[in-house]
Amino acid sequence: MSSPFGKGLAFPPRVDASGRMLWSQGERNIQESIAVILRTDLNERVQLPAFGTSLNAFLFEPNNAATHARVAHAIDAALKKWEPRITVEAVDVAADAKATETAVATITYRLVATGAAQRVAIDVPLATS
């Protein structure tokens, strides 16, 4: 029986001891897909220019509530468009207490195939407030 989550090349791409490409599958494949979507800038992919989120575009934006809302919206829209295996429930963005030039985006989602709740966080570099 095949997995409802899919299978793809591991991200980042790597090889095993025998020199073969590693694959990821299951929930790990979805987590890697989310990372690819969030770390890809718009227009970065030649044949798919609308893919990604362009979180790097926020690099010089202030680390405040208005920027956090825009980052959350960009993440939510990109994941809803590019990752059909999940249902995004919430995207919370807040300043990192330890690094004033970083915001932390916490994404809460459910796997469509099983309904299992998952959470992933990503650092978003911003300017200091």
Side-chain angles (χ1 to χ4, degrees), residues 61-81:
E61 297 294 324
N63 196 352
N64 61 27
T67 302
H68 297 168
R70 291 176 36 231
V71 168
H73 176 73
I75 290 171
D76 184 62
L79 291 178
K80 285 179 178 175
K81 181 174 184 176

Side-chain angles (χ1 to χ4, degrees), residues 2 9 12 23 27 33 41-43 46 48 53 70 73 78-79 81 85-87 110 112 115 119 122:
S2 65
L9 284 175
W23 291 83
E27 294 176 21
S33 174
D41 286 333
L42 296 174
N43 295 312
V46 176
L48 203 53
T53 56
R70 291 176 36 231
H73 176 73
L79 291 178
K81 181 174 184 176
R85 299 175 293 178
I86 67 171
T87 301
R110 288 202 178 271
V112 171
R119 180 175 294 165
I122 184 171

